[in-house]
Amino acid sequence: MQTNKPIFVTQPFLPPLEEFQEYLKQIWESKWLTNNGKFHQELEKALCEYLGVKYISLFSNGTLALITALQELRITGEVITTPYSFVATTHSLWWNNIKPVFVDIEPETLNIDPDKIEAAITPNTTAIMPVHVYGNPCNVQRIKKIADTYGLKVIYDAAHTFGVTINNNSVLNFGDLSVMSFHATKVYNTFEGGAIVCHDEATKKRIDNLKNFGFINETTVVAPGINAKMNEVQAAMGLIQLKYIDANIEKRKQITELYREKLIGINGLVFLDDMPNVKHCYSYFPILIDKDKFGKTRDELYEKLKEKNIFGRRYFYPLISQFPTYKGLDSAQPGKLPVAEKITEQVICLPIYSNLSFGDVEKVCKCIKS
Ligand code: T4K
């Protein structure tokens, strides 16, 4: 029934099928399906231009891009990171045999707290891997200063940011490398997909080699690379998506504004505001529930929404540091990450995507208020 169709936390934007078919026809004719094809090359150029970055290397997904970014910088030992993210952030360290060291988050932005980074640095620390959570930029200046002082690399997990700028400069221009995700659930999707943004040609070349088994020519392999190439169907989707991205982000902005208007002033419910001088992409709309003031726990609200066919998601619950793989680490011990431990019990991300109707946003808000 139309009146009670499920509303999921997100839904991918899909362009008109005919537009995609035009690209598919070309792929069928050329029989060039992958390995740095025409659309792959076009998309790298188009994304550099759209995002305002110098070099980009496309990947089959964001997780392999994260793993490869660490390989490229030859990161070893310990890496300081946030427990408040999708598990792929820390898994990329684990797959590289690197020890994650969790540092708490700021209550205002939910990003890694720069004030707490220095205390976590040891002689084994080689890098910091912060996440621009929900697309809200980290304190990039403070993180740069700390990294420069201690000689650390910075790899940003920028999976939630697309087109985000600080003072008109892409957030992807900070750090040694930034890693993007173009998964179906993201603001900009290529079904699955990802990318590494870097700042010089030599690095771009090495990353391109690493994602192609380490080949530099037909017969020479210079590194134990992996297969993480984006294929032509994904790249074609990426090219079409770019035509719609501004309109899609604008719609997300309007949805965010409507949520804020409808939910403001509810006792025990808070949401994040826009940050000064930042152009946002509105990838998620998280709310935080204080059970004492709101009169219900986060989980009670989450279940109540589900009864009404509204499927918010508890991104990010549990914390990465609470998963079995990581909970034995020193930095993961209960009480060591007090802000993240509190927020993970309070958060629900409400539905947001470009095809979400304003009527559905009102329905979600009504359900929260009732
Ligand atoms: N770093 C960060 C900070 C990340 O958030 C992520 C991914 C990564 C790294 C890794 O990047 P990738 O390797 O994924 O490129 C989803 C996504 O799978 C994941 O990409 C994303 N973060 C994470 C936050 O969310 P799930 O398990 O919650 O997704 P799922 O399948 O439950 O989908 C959520 C909702 O989206 C569904 O209820 C309905 C809708 N949906 C989903 C898919 C896949 C659709 O309508 N169509 C679809 O095709 O992880």
Side-chain angles (χ1 to χ4, degrees):
M1 279 276 289
Q2 271 302 310
T3 48
N4 200 22
K5 65 179 183 348
I7 308 173
F8 294 110
V9 69
T10 188
Q11 189 181 73
F13 169 77
L14 291 173
L17 187 56
E18 307 75 57
E19 280 192 48
F20 192 50
Q21 281 165 338
E22 282 308 309
Y23 281 83
L24 288 182
K25 260 191 221 154
Q26 292 185 52
I27 294 172
W28 256 242
E29 276 159 22
S30 71
K31 302 202 170 30
W32 196 278
L33 309 187
T34 185
N35 289 11
N36 199 26
K38 173 174 171 256
F39 293 146
H40 182 285
Q41 291 175 32
E42 275 179 33
L43 184 59
E44 286 194 345
K45 271 202 203 101
L47 281 173
C48 280
E49 205 167 298
Y50 181 85
L51 297 168
V53 301
K54 272 198 175 140
Y55 297 96
I56 195 161
S57 180
L58 296 173
F59 275 73
S60 48
N61 63 62
T63 305
L64 284 170
L66 279 169
I67 290 171
T68 307
L70 292 159
Q71 286 276 317
E72 155 55 21
L73 296 175
R74 295 171 186 262
I75 303 299
T76 56
E78 295 177 6
V79 170
I80 290 172
T81 189
T82 170
Y84 192 75
S85 180
F86 188 61
V87 73
T89 310
T90 314
H91 278 356
S92 71
L93 300 172
W94 205 258
W95 275 73
N96 277 291
N97 219 3
I98 294 163
K99 180 178 170 187
V101 175
F102 296 112
V103 160
D104 207 2
I105 57 172
E106 301 174 310
E108 302 81 20
T109 64
L110 313 183
N111 289 328
I112 195 165
D113 187 341
D115 283 341
K116 296 180 181 157
I117 291 177
E118 279 180 276
I121 296 173
T122 75
N124 297 326
T125 310
T126 54
I128 309 171
M129 186 182 265
V131 181
H132 303 296
V133 179
Y134 309 131
N136 294 324
C138 293
N139 192 332
V140 289
Q141 304 295 359
R142 287 281 312 282
I143 291 170
K144 177 171 169 29
K145 207 158 173 222
I146 296 166
D148 288 349
T149 306
Y150 292 89
L152 306 175
K153 300 283 186 196
V154 179
I155 300 143
Y156 279 107
D157 180 334
H160 299 174
T161 76
F162 194 90
V164 173
T165 61
I166 309 172
N167 292 320
N168 293 322
N169 181 16
S170 172
V171 72
L172 304 166
N173 287 324
F174 295 90
D176 294 277
L177 299 174
S178 290
V179 177
M180 308 180 76
S181 167
F182 308 146
H183 183 262
T185 54
K186 299 292 189 268
V187 169
Y188 169 90
N189 88 80
T190 58
F191 301 103
E192 293 259 6
I196 302 181
V197 170
C198 63
H199 316 304
D200 65 89
E201 204 178 343
T203 307
K204 152 84 172 144
K205 221 166 176 186
R206 283 198 305 271
I207 293 169
D208 285 348
N209 298 337
L210 277 174
K211 75 177 181 196
N212 186 29
F213 312 99
F215 275 109
I216 54 163
N217 60 37
E218 213 176 302
T219 51
T220 316
V221 171
V222 293
I226 199 161
N227 180 2
K229 291 165 272 123
M230 177 179 277
N231 69 46
E232 286 294 272
V233 177
Q234 289 173 291
M237 180 61 147
L239 285 167
I240 306 171
Q241 291 272 348
L242 271 184
K243 295 192 208 162
Y244 297 91
I245 187 68
D246 286 336
N248 287 344
I249 292 176
E250 177 55 32
K251 177 72 187 294
R252 285 170 173 274
K253 182 174 187 220
Q254 289 168 6
I255 289 169
T256 300
E257 283 165 356
L258 185 56
Y259 270 133
R260 286 175 180 158
E261 183 193 315
K262 297 284 169 193
L263 298 177
I264 197 159
I266 297 180
N267 208 11
L269 183 157
V270 295
F271 46 76
L272 304 179
D273 283 321
D274 282 1
M275 295 162 77
N277 307 317
V278 170
K279 179 175 171 278
H280 290 271
C281 69
Y282 306 100
S283 40
Y284 294 85
F285 190 81
I287 57 170
L288 303 176
I289 299 298
D290 176 337
K291 64 176 185 327
D292 297 328
K293 293 187 192 151
F294 187 73
K296 267 195 178 57
T297 65
R298 180 274 310 272
D299 287 342
E300 283 165 349
L301 175 61
Y302 171 76
E303 293 300 333
K304 193 181 150 211
L305 288 166
K306 261 175 43 179
E307 280 167 25
K308 300 275 180 198
N309 246 353
I310 298 164
F311 297 90
R313 287 295 285 268
R314 288 163 292 184
Y315 296 135
F316 292 101
Y317 164 83
L319 294 177
I320 303 176
S321 51
Q322 293 167 338
F323 286 119
T325 315
Y326 305 111
K327 71 178 187 194
L329 293 169
D330 259 6
S331 60
Q333 295 314 299
K336 288 204 168 171
L337 304 161
V339 180
E341 286 165 20
K342 183 174 162 203
I343 299 293
T344 193
E345 298 292 335
Q346 295 189 329
V347 70
I348 307 184
C349 288
L350 299 182
I352 185 165
Y353 48 91
S354 55
N355 282 331
L356 183 65
S357 71
F358 295 125
D360 279 347
V361 175
E362 301 217 11
K363 186 176 157 189
V364 174
C365 295
K366 217 166 136 192
C367 181
I368 291 171
K369 283 181 182 166
S370 64

